[in-house]
Amino acid sequence: MKLFNYLFAPRPKSAAIAKERLKIVLAHERASRDAPDFLPRLQKDLLTVVGRYVQINEEMIHVNLGKSGDTSLLEINIEIGGAKPNEGRLAPAS
Amino acid sequence: MAKVIVVTSGKGGVGKTTTSAAFAAGLALRGHKTVVIDFDVGLRNLDLVMGCERRVVFDFINVINGDANLNQALIKDKRNDNLFIFPTSQTRDKDALKREGVERVLEELKKTFDYIICDSPAGIEHGAITALYFADSAVIVTNPEVSSVRDSDRIIGILSSRSRRAERNEPPVDIHLLLTRYDPDRVVKGEMLTVEDVREILSIPLLGVIPESESVLRASNTGTPVVFDADSPAGRAYVDAVARFLGEQREMRFVKPEKRGFFRVLFGRA
């Protein structure tokens, strides 16, 4: 029975797989292609400044430039839940 | 007003030079004075595909550097009076293609030609960027295959951000999709992306579909643009694509599996 299933089970068509993979990879690449090149530097600066007050790392800061209608929207998300205060210490080396 | 058309793809080996040759010859057959320029400095091949490799004396770089004038470098096609070939140099100095020089040559060509076809090298380096920079229209040559589609998307992004039209905030480059090496039999079996799939993913208008065809290799073997082979499916598909480019409505052919007669099945494809 196993052999029967193996031989006759419908296999996904490879063209459909190609289409899905392309859609995903291109959505990702288009988003990063359109991003202005100052975003990584802005993220670094934010890490330095916020790092003076709470202990955070790079993964906790998300900087994104989106669009809503005609206006560009700079979106900055910083997770600090559970982060320890960092009073009196210098900024972490980045 | 003369129009500059870049034939580009990002990926190599998808049919840019075949398409440049066929498209230029197709426009010439329709009565438009057309020149096709090889931008692939160092890897000259358009001359071979056009069948004029033994007539090359001066090249694109000679004209840019002022060592020869246009009339000395342009090769008139022996099959059609409207068609001219502008071969590139075989120098290894890729930076010989100076943007200002290219602009000057294009401006001069615009005075006498209706269409200027720029055959781009593969990749996204200097040569490819120079080939697309001055374009009014672009033909994106794509195979129904993941790496080709991805590279086409990349080149479309570059056209809309780094072309002269984009830099000057002018109306954008008119971008067309040309799907080549299409095999309807494999599409029906679910082994190949469909025309619709590729069009949807790249979201640019479709200019034509060129079927995988033996006539393409035959054409390059003999140095004849495939549109001169009026009986071949690929030749007819290119003629259709040129007609659409000129604004005509034509139904897409060669996108469904061919019905084969008894003798065709017995003796293989003609």
Side-chain angles (χ1 to χ4, degrees):
Chain A
M1 197 60 200
K2 262 186 182 167
L3 180 72
F4 180 85
N5 280 345
Y6 174 75
L7 287 176
F8 296 101
R11 254 169 260 181
K13 302 283 191 201
S14 66
I17 300 170
K19 188 181 181 183
E20 272 321 296
R21 291 176 59 221
L22 270 170
K23 277 186 164 174
I24 292 164
V25 73
L26 290 184
H28 194 77
E29 286 176 357
R30 283 171 189 161
S32 57
R33 184 192 306 154
D34 298 338
D37 53 5
F38 67 77
L39 288 188
R41 279 181 287 137
L42 176 63
Q43 191 196 23
K44 230 175 183 179
D45 287 351
L46 285 169
L47 183 70
T48 317
V49 174
V50 181
R52 281 185 201 146
Y53 305 93
V54 277
Q55 289 177 14
I56 56 164
N57 62 43
E58 230 168 279
E59 275 130 56
M60 296 157 83
I61 299 185
H62 302 277
V63 184
N64 236 318
L65 197 70
K67 251 199 169 151
S68 121
D70 285 341
T71 45
S72 295
L73 201 71
L74 180 63
E75 195 185 328
I76 298 173
N77 283 305
I78 306 177
E79 310 163 24
I80 49 166
K84 285 184 195 155
N86 207 358
E87 273 174 89
R89 280 213 243 157
L90 285 172
S94 51
Chain B
M1 186 58 198
K3 219 174 195 182
V4 179
I5 307 168
V6 62
V7 176
T8 186
S9 68
K11 191 177 181 300
V14 295
K16 281 183 296 297
T17 301
T18 301
T19 297
S20 298
F23 220 76
L27 285 166
L29 283 172
R30 296 289 303 259
H32 300 286
K33 205 167 176 203
T34 306
V35 58
V36 54
I37 311 177
D38 191 347
F39 271 78
D40 201 348
V41 175
L43 293 171
R44 171 158 92 203
N45 273 320
L46 181 70
D47 55 339
L48 261 183
V49 173
M50 293 293 293
C52 63
E53 68 278 8
R54 290 167 61 174
R55 297 167 64 203
V56 176
V57 183
F58 293 108
D59 59 50
F60 197 18
I61 304 297
N62 292 145
V63 177
I64 286 175
N65 293 339
D67 301 330
N69 65 38
L70 264 181
N71 291 331
Q72 290 173 297
L74 286 178
I75 301 172
K76 189 174 182 189
D77 189 82
K78 286 189 168 160
R79 294 150 296 212
N80 190 299
D81 289 343
N82 292 318
L83 183 57
F84 287 78
I85 300 108
F86 198 172
T88 194
S89 151
Q90 285 181 313
T91 171
R92 287 170 66 183
D93 175 18
K94 297 265 174 192
D95 297 326
L97 212 55
K98 295 263 183 334
R99 193 172 275 181
E100 300 71 35
V102 172
E103 180 174 24
R104 208 180 57 240
V105 173
L106 289 179
E107 285 309 315
E108 206 174 330
L109 288 169
K110 278 182 179 179
K111 290 178 197 158
T112 38
F113 288 95
D114 302 322
Y115 290 100
I116 301 165
I117 313 280
C118 304
D119 180 19
S120 172
I124 49 173
E125 305 294 315
H126 177 74
I129 304 297
T130 311
L132 67 79
Y133 186 73
F134 298 99
D136 300 306
S137 298
V139 174
I140 311 293
V141 184
T142 308
N143 291 168
E145 180 270 326
V146 285
S147 49
S148 174
V149 175
R150 183 198 216 170
D151 292 358
S152 293
D153 191 71
R154 189 82 197 276
I155 269 292
I156 293 166
I158 291 172
L159 271 161
S160 45
S161 63
R162 291 177 63 187
S163 63
R164 184 166 72 173
R165 282 174 172 268
E167 282 183 1
R168 291 183 175 177
N169 277 321
E170 289 172 358
V173 179
D174 191 21
I175 302 178
H176 306 267
L177 170 65
L178 188 79
L179 200 59
T180 58
R181 309 201 68 166
Y182 196 68
D183 186 339
D185 291 314
R186 302 201 71 183
V187 169
V188 165
K189 289 184 199 154
E191 296 173 357
M192 185 180 266
L193 291 165
T194 69
V195 188
E196 254 327 293
D197 289 341
V198 181
R199 214 192 49 74
E200 183 194 323
I201 292 167
L202 294 178
S203 55
I204 53 173
L206 179 68
L207 189 62
V209 178
I210 312 299
E212 176 79 73
S213 162
E214 289 164 15
S215 53
V216 173
L217 182 59
R218 197 161 57 227
S220 83
N221 282 344
T222 57
T224 321
V226 73
V227 288
F228 287 129
D229 184 357
D231 297 328
S232 76
R236 284 184 287 161
Y238 273 115
V239 167
D240 283 355
V242 169
R244 288 188 202 103
F245 186 84
L246 295 172
E248 280 177 37
Q249 297 282 333
R250 289 209 181 178
E251 207 186 320
M252 289 290 166
R253 294 192 278 181
F254 316 109
V255 290
K256 293 194 184 96
E258 211 182 319
K259 288 192 188 78
R260 288 198 196 101
F262 175 69
F263 284 100
R264 276 277 181 96
V265 174
L266 260 187
F267 300 112
R269 284 192 196 185

